[in-house]
Amino acid sequence: GRYTDNEKSGSEATPRLSAVYAFNQNKSLKFLHSVGFNSPNFSQQLIQIPGAITGHEDLVAERITSSDIAYSVTRDASLYVANIYYYYAEDFITRVLESDGNHFRNASNFHRYGFELEYKSVLDDWKFNSNFSYHHQGNRSITGDDTALFAPRVSANIGLVYRLSSRHHVGGVFRYIGSRVTAPTLIQIDLNYHYKVGKHICYISLKNMTDESILHPDIQNYSITRLVPGGDSRQIEAGFTYRL
């Protein structure tokens, strides 16, 4: 557990618990439960920029309760993980756009739940990583919950590395983020090549191969119309690194 005593936010005792049950050497079940206590910071309480942003000294601390249950299986050189999660947020601190600018406010209480899947494997010269997540409240308009609409309902990542030889490696990354408010579904593909000799590494990366417009919703002000650029168009990067 943890005990916090803050002059402005008060005191709070928050529990933390984890337990693991091993069915055998290859299978296990994990349970995690924790409560977080996050005091408002200086800018959230005291910042005063007329017409732009206003802090409020009467903000109370955030309290977030999270629980996870994960089932893991290892087999040969592979790892499988399935995880379900639930969390509940009380007095979450957010920025709210009002007629005279943005204000820091405590939002209504809300909850989240979903599941995640993960698979990793190493086979001869191959390395493979992947994960998939489902966020049930994502991209939904929920009364009293201004943040759900700005989170993707589905996201996924796949990474692959192949060792051509002791010096040559090629790889790629596939990223998928579901739509959020007015931000469209994002699919991004990167390709990489590494040449390594001792402590010297030369690399070249082809990023955003499909030339996607990388746009994200405005999660700072929670504006449903404004999109924020989150990356560059198709590009090539080359470089050299030396590891001591």
Side-chain angles (χ1 to χ4, degrees), residues 182-214:
T182 55
T185 296
L186 174 62
I187 297 176
Q188 186 175 348
I189 300 174
D190 300 340
L191 299 177
N192 304 280
Y193 166 75
H194 281 203
Y195 176 75
K196 181 179 180 181
V197 179
K199 297 180 179 180
H200 304 79
I201 301 175
C202 297
Y203 66 89
I204 184 169
S205 300
L206 307 178
K207 296 194 173 183
N208 195 10
M209 292 291 295
T210 56
D211 201 23
E212 289 282 317
S213 296
I214 303 176

Short mmCIF file of all heavy atoms in Angstrom, two decimals, residues 182-214:
data_model
loop_
_atom_site.label_atom_id
_atom_site.label_comp_id
_atom_site.label_asym_id
_atom_site.label_seq_id
_atom_site.Cartn_x
_atom_site.Cartn_y
_atom_site.Cartn_z
N THR A 182 -13.20 12.63 -35.05
CA THR A 182 -13.08 12.88 -36.49
C THR A 182 -11.77 12.38 -37.06
O THR A 182 -11.54 12.49 -38.27
CB THR A 182 -13.21 14.39 -36.77
OG1 THR A 182 -12.24 15.11 -35.99
CG2 THR A 182 -14.60 14.89 -36.40
N ALA A 183 -10.87 11.84 -36.23
CA ALA A 183 -9.61 11.29 -36.72
C ALA A 183 -9.88 9.94 -37.38
O ALA A 183 -10.45 9.05 -36.76
CB ALA A 183 -8.62 11.13 -35.58
N PRO A 184 -9.48 9.77 -38.64
CA PRO A 184 -9.76 8.51 -39.33
C PRO A 184 -8.87 7.37 -38.84
O PRO A 184 -7.90 7.59 -38.11
CB PRO A 184 -9.44 8.86 -40.79
CG PRO A 184 -8.38 9.92 -40.70
CD PRO A 184 -8.74 10.73 -39.47
N THR A 185 -9.22 6.16 -39.23
CA THR A 185 -8.38 5.00 -38.93
C THR A 185 -6.97 5.22 -39.47
O THR A 185 -6.78 5.70 -40.59
CB THR A 185 -8.99 3.74 -39.57
OG1 THR A 185 -10.27 3.49 -38.97
CG2 THR A 185 -8.09 2.54 -39.36
N LEU A 186 -5.98 4.86 -38.67
CA LEU A 186 -4.59 5.06 -39.06
C LEU A 186 -3.90 3.72 -39.26
O LEU A 186 -3.94 2.86 -38.39
CB LEU A 186 -3.85 5.87 -37.98
CG LEU A 186 -2.34 6.04 -38.17
CD1 LEU A 186 -2.03 6.82 -39.44
CD2 LEU A 186 -1.73 6.74 -36.96
N ILE A 187 -3.29 3.56 -40.43
CA ILE A 187 -2.46 2.38 -40.72
C ILE A 187 -1.08 2.88 -41.13
O ILE A 187 -0.95 3.64 -42.09
CB ILE A 187 -3.06 1.52 -41.84
CG1 ILE A 187 -4.42 0.96 -41.41
CG2 ILE A 187 -2.11 0.39 -42.23
CD1 ILE A 187 -5.12 0.17 -42.50
N GLN A 188 -0.07 2.47 -40.39
CA GLN A 188 1.29 2.94 -40.66
C GLN A 188 2.22 1.74 -40.78
O GLN A 188 2.21 0.84 -39.95
CB GLN A 188 1.77 3.87 -39.54
CG GLN A 188 3.12 4.51 -39.81
CD GLN A 188 3.51 5.51 -38.74
OE1 GLN A 188 2.69 5.90 -37.91
NE2 GLN A 188 4.76 5.94 -38.75
N ILE A 189 3.06 1.77 -41.82
CA ILE A 189 4.02 0.70 -42.08
C ILE A 189 5.43 1.29 -42.19
O ILE A 189 5.65 2.23 -42.96
CB ILE A 189 3.68 -0.06 -43.37
CG1 ILE A 189 2.28 -0.70 -43.25
CG2 ILE A 189 4.72 -1.15 -43.64
CD1 ILE A 189 1.80 -1.35 -44.53
N ASP A 190 6.36 0.76 -41.40
CA ASP A 190 7.76 1.18 -41.46
C ASP A 190 8.62 -0.02 -41.79
O ASP A 190 8.35 -1.15 -41.34
CB ASP A 190 8.22 1.75 -40.11
CG ASP A 190 7.43 2.97 -39.68
OD1 ASP A 190 6.80 3.61 -40.55
OD2 ASP A 190 7.43 3.27 -38.47
N LEU A 191 9.68 0.20 -42.58
CA LEU A 191 10.64 -0.85 -42.93
C LEU A 191 12.04 -0.40 -42.50
O LEU A 191 12.37 0.79 -42.59
CB LEU A 191 10.62 -1.14 -44.42
CG LEU A 191 9.30 -1.63 -45.01
CD1 LEU A 191 9.43 -1.81 -46.52
CD2 LEU A 191 8.85 -2.93 -44.36
N ASN A 192 12.85 -1.35 -42.04
CA ASN A 192 14.18 -1.01 -41.52
C ASN A 192 15.24 -2.00 -42.00
O ASN A 192 14.95 -3.19 -42.20
CB ASN A 192 14.17 -1.02 -39.99
CG ASN A 192 13.12 -0.12 -39.40
OD1 ASN A 192 13.31 1.08 -39.31
ND2 ASN A 192 12.00 -0.70 -38.99
N TYR A 193 16.46 -1.47 -42.14
CA TYR A 193 17.63 -2.32 -42.44
C TYR A 193 18.79 -1.88 -41.56
O TYR A 193 19.08 -0.68 -41.45
CB TYR A 193 18.02 -2.20 -43.92
CG TYR A 193 19.39 -2.77 -44.22
CD1 TYR A 193 19.58 -4.15 -44.26
CD2 TYR A 193 20.49 -1.93 -44.42
CE1 TYR A 193 20.85 -4.68 -44.52
CE2 TYR A 193 21.75 -2.45 -44.67
CZ TYR A 193 21.92 -3.83 -44.71
OH TYR A 193 23.17 -4.35 -44.95
N HIS A 194 19.46 -2.84 -40.91
CA HIS A 194 20.60 -2.56 -40.04
C HIS A 194 21.82 -3.35 -40.55
O HIS A 194 21.70 -4.53 -40.89
CB HIS A 194 20.32 -2.99 -38.60
CG HIS A 194 19.49 -2.02 -37.86
ND1 HIS A 194 19.48 -1.94 -36.48
CD2 HIS A 194 18.63 -1.07 -38.26
CE1 HIS A 194 18.65 -0.99 -36.08
NE2 HIS A 194 18.12 -0.46 -37.15
N TYR A 195 22.96 -2.68 -40.53
CA TYR A 195 24.23 -3.34 -40.82
C TYR A 195 25.13 -3.12 -39.61
O TYR A 195 25.43 -1.98 -39.24
CB TYR A 195 24.87 -2.76 -42.08
CG TYR A 195 26.23 -3.34 -42.39
CD1 TYR A 195 26.35 -4.62 -42.92
CD2 TYR A 195 27.39 -2.59 -42.15
CE1 TYR A 195 27.60 -5.17 -43.20
CE2 TYR A 195 28.65 -3.12 -42.43
CZ TYR A 195 28.74 -4.40 -42.95
OH TYR A 195 29.98 -4.95 -43.22
N LYS A 196 25.54 -4.19 -38.96
CA LYS A 196 26.28 -4.09 -37.71
C LYS A 196 27.63 -4.77 -37.81
O LYS A 196 27.73 -5.93 -38.23
CB LYS A 196 25.46 -4.74 -36.58
CG LYS A 196 26.14 -4.68 -35.21
CD LYS A 196 25.26 -5.32 -34.14
CE LYS A 196 25.94 -5.26 -32.78
NZ LYS A 196 25.11 -5.90 -31.73
N VAL A 197 28.67 -4.03 -37.42
CA VAL A 197 30.03 -4.57 -37.33
C VAL A 197 30.59 -4.16 -35.97
O VAL A 197 30.84 -2.97 -35.73
CB VAL A 197 30.94 -4.04 -38.45
CG1 VAL A 197 32.34 -4.63 -38.29
CG2 VAL A 197 30.38 -4.39 -39.81
N GLY A 198 30.75 -5.10 -35.07
CA GLY A 198 31.24 -4.79 -33.75
C GLY A 198 30.30 -3.83 -33.03
O GLY A 198 29.10 -4.11 -32.86
N LYS A 199 30.82 -2.67 -32.67
CA LYS A 199 30.02 -1.66 -31.99
C LYS A 199 29.44 -0.63 -32.95
O LYS A 199 28.81 0.33 -32.52
CB LYS A 199 30.86 -0.97 -30.91
CG LYS A 199 31.34 -1.91 -29.81
CD LYS A 199 32.15 -1.15 -28.77
CE LYS A 199 32.62 -2.10 -27.66
NZ LYS A 199 33.41 -1.37 -26.63
N HIS A 200 29.67 -0.82 -34.24
CA HIS A 200 29.21 0.13 -35.23
C HIS A 200 27.93 -0.38 -35.89
O HIS A 200 27.84 -1.55 -36.27
CB HIS A 200 30.27 0.36 -36.32
CG HIS A 200 31.60 0.82 -35.78
ND1 HIS A 200 32.51 -0.06 -35.21
CD2 HIS A 200 32.15 2.05 -35.70
CE1 HIS A 200 33.57 0.62 -34.83
NE2 HIS A 200 33.39 1.90 -35.11
N ILE A 201 26.94 0.49 -36.03
CA ILE A 201 25.68 0.14 -36.67
C ILE A 201 25.30 1.22 -37.67
O ILE A 201 25.24 2.40 -37.33
CB ILE A 201 24.53 -0.02 -35.65
CG1 ILE A 201 24.86 -1.10 -34.62
CG2 ILE A 201 23.21 -0.34 -36.36
CD1 ILE A 201 23.82 -1.22 -33.52
N CYS A 202 25.09 0.82 -38.91
CA CYS A 202 24.53 1.70 -39.93
C CYS A 202 23.10 1.25 -40.20
O CYS A 202 22.82 0.05 -40.23
CB CYS A 202 25.35 1.63 -41.23
SG CYS A 202 27.05 2.19 -41.06
N TYR A 203 22.21 2.19 -40.39
CA TYR A 203 20.82 1.81 -40.60
C TYR A 203 20.14 2.74 -41.60
O TYR A 203 20.55 3.89 -41.80
CB TYR A 203 20.04 1.84 -39.28
CG TYR A 203 19.90 3.21 -38.66
CD1 TYR A 203 18.81 4.04 -38.99
CD2 TYR A 203 20.84 3.70 -37.76
CE1 TYR A 203 18.67 5.30 -38.43
CE2 TYR A 203 20.71 4.96 -37.20
CZ TYR A 203 19.63 5.75 -37.54
OH TYR A 203 19.50 7.00 -37.00
N ILE A 204 19.09 2.22 -42.20
CA ILE A 204 18.23 3.01 -43.07
C ILE A 204 16.79 2.59 -42.80
O ILE A 204 16.51 1.40 -42.65
CB ILE A 204 18.60 2.83 -44.56
CG1 ILE A 204 17.73 3.76 -45.42
CG2 ILE A 204 18.48 1.38 -44.99
CD1 ILE A 204 18.18 3.84 -46.86
N SER A 205 15.90 3.56 -42.67
CA SER A 205 14.50 3.30 -42.35
C SER A 205 13.60 3.99 -43.35
O SER A 205 13.81 5.17 -43.68
CB SER A 205 14.17 3.82 -40.93
OG SER A 205 14.95 3.18 -39.96
N LEU A 206 12.63 3.25 -43.84
CA LEU A 206 11.59 3.80 -44.70
C LEU A 206 10.34 3.92 -43.86
O LEU A 206 9.75 2.90 -43.47
CB LEU A 206 11.36 2.90 -45.91
CG LEU A 206 12.60 2.52 -46.72
CD1 LEU A 206 12.22 1.56 -47.86
CD2 LEU A 206 13.27 3.76 -47.28
N LYS A 207 9.93 5.14 -43.55
CA LYS A 207 8.85 5.36 -42.60
C LYS A 207 7.58 5.82 -43.30
O LYS A 207 7.62 6.54 -44.29
CB LYS A 207 9.27 6.38 -41.55
CG LYS A 207 10.43 5.90 -40.68
CD LYS A 207 10.60 6.75 -39.46
CE LYS A 207 11.65 6.15 -38.52
NZ LYS A 207 11.81 6.92 -37.27
N ASN A 208 6.45 5.36 -42.75
CA ASN A 208 5.13 5.71 -43.27
C ASN A 208 5.04 5.39 -44.76
O ASN A 208 4.76 6.26 -45.60
CB ASN A 208 4.83 7.20 -43.01
CG ASN A 208 3.37 7.53 -43.20
OD1 ASN A 208 2.51 6.65 -43.35
ND2 ASN A 208 3.06 8.82 -43.22
N MET A 209 5.27 4.13 -45.08
CA MET A 209 5.34 3.68 -46.47
C MET A 209 4.08 3.98 -47.26
O MET A 209 4.12 4.23 -48.47
CB MET A 209 5.62 2.18 -46.52
CG MET A 209 7.02 1.80 -46.02
SD MET A 209 8.30 2.36 -47.15
CE MET A 209 7.91 1.38 -48.60
N THR A 210 2.93 3.95 -46.62
CA THR A 210 1.67 4.20 -47.33
C THR A 210 1.32 5.68 -47.40
O THR A 210 0.27 6.05 -47.91
CB THR A 210 0.52 3.45 -46.63
OG1 THR A 210 0.46 3.83 -45.25
CG2 THR A 210 0.73 1.94 -46.72
N ASP A 211 2.23 6.53 -46.89
CA ASP A 211 2.06 7.99 -46.94
C ASP A 211 0.73 8.42 -46.30
O ASP A 211 0.00 9.26 -46.84
CB ASP A 211 2.14 8.48 -48.39
CG ASP A 211 2.47 9.97 -48.47
OD1 ASP A 211 3.04 10.49 -47.50
OD2 ASP A 211 2.15 10.60 -49.49
N GLU A 212 0.45 7.85 -45.13
CA GLU A 212 -0.78 8.19 -44.41
C GLU A 212 -0.68 9.60 -43.82
O GLU A 212 0.40 10.05 -43.43
CB GLU A 212 -1.00 7.20 -43.27
CG GLU A 212 -1.41 5.81 -43.71
CD GLU A 212 -2.86 5.74 -44.10
OE1 GLU A 212 -3.71 6.31 -43.38
OE2 GLU A 212 -3.16 5.12 -45.13
N SER A 213 -1.81 10.27 -43.74
CA SER A 213 -1.90 11.52 -43.00
C SER A 213 -2.09 11.16 -41.52
O SER A 213 -3.15 10.67 -41.13
CB SER A 213 -3.07 12.37 -43.49
OG SER A 213 -2.89 12.75 -44.83
N ILE A 214 -1.05 11.37 -40.73
CA ILE A 214 -1.08 10.95 -39.33
C ILE A 214 -1.71 12.06 -38.50
O ILE A 214 -1.09 13.07 -38.19
CB ILE A 214 0.35 10.64 -38.83
CG1 ILE A 214 0.97 9.56 -39.72
CG2 ILE A 214 0.32 10.18 -37.37
CD1 ILE A 214 2.42 9.25 -39.38
#
